[in-house]
Amino acid sequence: MFKTKYFLKNSCPTILPTMIILLSLSVMVGLFIFAFSCPVQAVQKNNKINYPAAKFAVITDPHLFEVEGNINNPVYLKYGVEDRKLLSLSPEILEIAVDKIIQEGGIEFVLLPGDLTDSGDIVSHKVVAGILQKLKQNGINVYVIPGNHDGFNTEDFQNTSIPREIVTPENFINIYNNYGYKEAIFKDENSLSYVVEPIKGLWLLMMDSCIYNSPDSYHVCNGRIRKPTKDWINDILIKADEQNKAVIGSLHHSLLEHYEGHDRFFSKYIVDDFEELSAQFAARNMKVVFTGHHHAQDIVKKEFENNSFIYDIETSSLIGFPNAYRIVEINQNNEVSITSKYIKEVPSFEGDFPTHTKNYVLGRVKEVAADKLDPFHINPVDKDKISDNAAEAMIAHYQGNEVAPESLNIEGINIWSRFIYSFYRRLLASLYDDPAPDDLNIKIDLNTGEWTNLDN
């Protein structure tokens, strides 16, 4: 059982002179859009790992919030009924995704890499478990891990700002016992990580990257895999190699940088020590991981020495634009095909659902971007233009296969605004500069790491 508690060290910011703040702006930019300790010594043997044929789906960040009987919950009041994650529709959207996966045919299991709920309360978690039961009833196994929004309220921390009870790690295991934990062949005693073998010869390594016990919040945005769990993961990968098991990984936070400056500007969305972890995983023949958290439909590959490689396949939030999930199929030739599917209609919603979601997310991102520009006293017209560019860049990243505009320059803004925007422009350019491979529909050769676009 969960024996070792997580701790978060907090530091207090200091007030800096204006000029130092401006010189440090490139570091601060990451705030404006969203309000192994083991040395890497393992050398990939480059053995051919035979992956068994499999077909599965990936849903992430459904952010379910059960509204009924909880209309005065501060979390709900904060977001409102048309939040960027559309909380009021979240149960229905998850139900639609479940139905579509069943209708897809041939799906053997489903991965959910965290943020199953939005507020981490027990009521919402039980609703998620109830919706997922339909998959089990149709012979489809389900494997979950927690995200930063999924709790946790441990004995060290009592949250009084949310009227519903927040789950403990033990609650989480009990609620989702039929969705991974009961079936686990290995469990980590220091986290909610575990291993299952849904198909003979294929291990799913479900890694808990959450940080617990913040004194300020029921969830902490950034992610970490602590040393005891790193050691446990390394032992699992050694066992897999010895037993000739193929391994697919999953964690909530990104394992690789998905664009230049990902760690610099959005460090809360990528797991700590990601460079060491990704190299270690690749060296131990874990070639693919599925992630969420950043709410983008994005795939990135990293290559290492001795021809080792790893893919980080991130999937968007189910209730945030572009409302996507993925279908993954491994064939007998050690090739994995990954296709993007979308929720385009919600029966209780009148109108064009994808357009509504996109416009709402654009508006929310623009509002937050504009708020973060306030300390620099930019005139309202110029602030509006800069925040428009920020929102368009982020929505392009969410959608995947970003297409950059002809120019990121902004006409008609004054010298001061151009100076401030020069710092932001670098980040926006990096969001558009999407590294290979294709983000939406690809086939990967698991022997060589080469990929092809399925749309061609």
Side-chain angles (χ1 to χ4, degrees):
M1 188 56 72
F2 194 85
K3 297 197 302 185
T4 305
K5 298 181 175 64
Y6 287 19
F7 294 91
L8 175 69
K9 294 182 180 179
N10 299 293
S11 58
C12 299
T14 56
I15 299 175
L16 301 176
T18 300
M19 288 307 295
I20 296 179
I21 291 176
L22 294 176
L23 292 174
S24 303
L25 184 58
S26 61
V27 176
M28 297 166 57
V29 162
L31 298 174
F32 88 103
I33 291 182
F34 275 126
F36 22 3
S37 69
C38 306
V40 181
Q41 295 177 341
V43 176
Q44 189 181 50
K45 296 179 181 179
N46 289 317
N47 295 338
K48 178 181 178 181
I49 303 298
N50 291 315
Y51 287 76
K55 186 176 182 181
F56 60 96
V58 180
I59 297 173
T60 191
D61 295 73
H63 283 275
L64 188 142
F65 183 84
E66 177 50 50
V67 176
E68 186 176 352
N70 206 34
I71 197 69
N72 293 319
N73 188 310
V75 175
Y76 184 69
L77 293 175
K78 174 183 176 182
Y79 289 132
V81 296
E82 292 181 333
D83 171 57
R84 62 186 172 87
K85 292 171 292 193
L86 301 170
L87 291 182
S88 64
L89 295 174
S90 58
E92 186 177 5
I93 294 171
L94 181 58
E95 289 173 350
I96 293 168
V98 164
D99 287 341
K100 284 182 173 292
I101 287 169
I102 293 169
Q103 294 163 10
E104 171 76 22
I107 298 294
E108 295 163 286
F109 59 88
V110 177
L111 299 183
L112 280 89
D115 279 0
L116 309 174
T117 68
D118 200 75
S119 61
D121 67 279
I122 289 178
V123 172
S124 294
H125 276 295
K126 288 183 176 179
V127 172
V128 172
I131 294 172
L132 297 180
Q133 181 62 24
K134 190 172 184 179
L135 290 166
K136 297 283 288 186
Q137 291 168 349
N138 282 270
I140 301 172
N141 287 325
V142 182
Y143 305 110
V144 307
I145 45 172
N148 59 299
H149 275 263
D150 288 325
F152 292 95
N153 182 2
T154 69
E155 63 184 7
D156 293 340
F157 167 56
Q158 296 298 319
N159 188 308
T160 58
S161 65
I162 299 176
R164 285 183 174 177
E165 184 180 359
I166 303 301
V167 297
T168 64
E170 290 77 15
N171 291 150
F172 190 89
I173 291 173
N174 289 334
I175 292 171
Y176 296 106
N177 191 43
N178 290 328
Y179 305 111
Y181 292 98
K182 184 170 67 174
E183 192 180 330
I185 56 176
F186 301 105
K187 295 179 182 179
D188 178 31
E189 293 185 341
N190 300 287
S191 74
L192 295 178
S193 306
Y194 63 94
V195 178
V196 291
E197 187 171 7
I199 298 170
K200 186 177 180 180
L202 177 65
W203 284 5
L204 300 182
L205 177 51
M206 308 296 288
M207 294 171 280
D208 176 9
S209 56
C210 296
I211 297 173
Y212 309 142
N213 294 356
S214 165
D216 302 319
S217 176
Y218 66 90
H219 77 276
V220 181
C221 189
N222 52 306
R224 174 190 313 154
I225 295 178
R226 298 169 64 250
K227 185 180 184 304
T229 300
K230 289 180 184 178
D231 293 342
W232 177 83
I233 290 170
N234 195 50
D235 289 342
I236 293 297
L237 294 176
I238 291 172
K239 285 185 175 73
D241 184 61
E242 291 172 345
Q243 299 179 38
N244 294 316
K245 303 290 186 180
V247 181
I248 290 175
S250 186
L251 68 159
H252 184 59
H253 298 78
S254 294
L255 179 69
L256 300 176
E257 288 192 288
H258 285 255
Y259 48 86
E260 182 183 356
H262 186 166
D263 182 48
R264 181 181 183 188
F265 297 123
F266 290 97
S267 62
K268 292 181 179 180
Y269 293 88
I270 189 167
V271 69
D272 290 354
D273 303 324
F274 66 94
E275 292 180 337
E276 289 185 33
L277 287 169
S278 58
Q280 186 77 12
F281 292 173
R284 290 294 184 189
N285 279 316
M286 184 158 62
K287 300 180 179 182
V288 176
V289 295
F290 290 91
T291 64
H293 192 39
H294 207 349
H295 294 190
Q297 198 73 351
D298 197 86
I299 301 176
V300 66
K301 173 190 177 185
K302 187 170 183 179
E303 298 176 346
F304 302 91
E305 295 179 357
N306 302 308
N307 299 317
S308 64
F309 63 89
I310 193 164
Y311 281 83
D312 180 343
I313 301 166
E314 181 186 344
T315 302
S316 84
S317 169
L318 187 64
I319 60 171
F321 183 79
N323 307 102
Y325 61 98
R326 295 191 189 268
I327 301 296
V328 183
E329 191 162 6
I330 303 173
N331 64 25
Q332 298 287 356
N333 299 319
N334 264 14
E335 296 171 326
V336 56
S337 297
I338 301 159
T339 56
S340 297
K341 304 289 184 177
Y342 302 92
I343 305 297
K344 296 182 178 180
E345 294 182 354
V346 177
S348 68
F349 179 84
E350 295 182 0
D352 185 336
F353 180 69
T355 298
H356 173 80
T357 307
K358 181 177 181 179
N359 289 340
Y360 198 83
V361 172
L362 275 169
R364 286 287 299 156
V365 174
K366 180 177 177 177
E367 288 174 10
V368 177
D371 288 345
K372 295 302 178 180
L373 288 168
D374 281 344
F376 305 104
H377 305 291
I378 296 173
N379 71 67
V381 174
D382 290 0
K383 182 169 67 173
D384 187 65
K385 292 178 179 180
I386 294 172
S387 57
D388 268 340
N389 271 25
E392 291 290 347
M394 184 54 74
I395 206 76
H397 179 62
Y398 286 163
Q399 188 168 8
N401 288 353
E402 297 87 331
V403 178
E406 291 185 3
S407 174
L408 285 173
N409 294 332
I410 301 177
E411 300 296 331
I413 61 176
N414 64 33
I415 293 175
W416 173 245
S417 297
R418 285 201 301 272
F419 173 70
I420 297 299
Y421 179 61
S422 66
F423 294 95
Y424 293 113
R425 190 182 184 283
R426 178 179 176 184
L427 172 60
L428 304 191
S430 70
L431 288 171
Y432 282 115
D433 186 18
D434 185 32
D438 183 275
D439 294 325
L440 306 181
N441 303 300
I442 68 170
K443 179 184 286 185
I444 301 169
D445 186 322
L446 293 168
N447 295 326
T448 66
E450 295 179 357
W451 66 274
T452 55
N453 187 333
L454 291 176
D455 294 327
N456 293 339

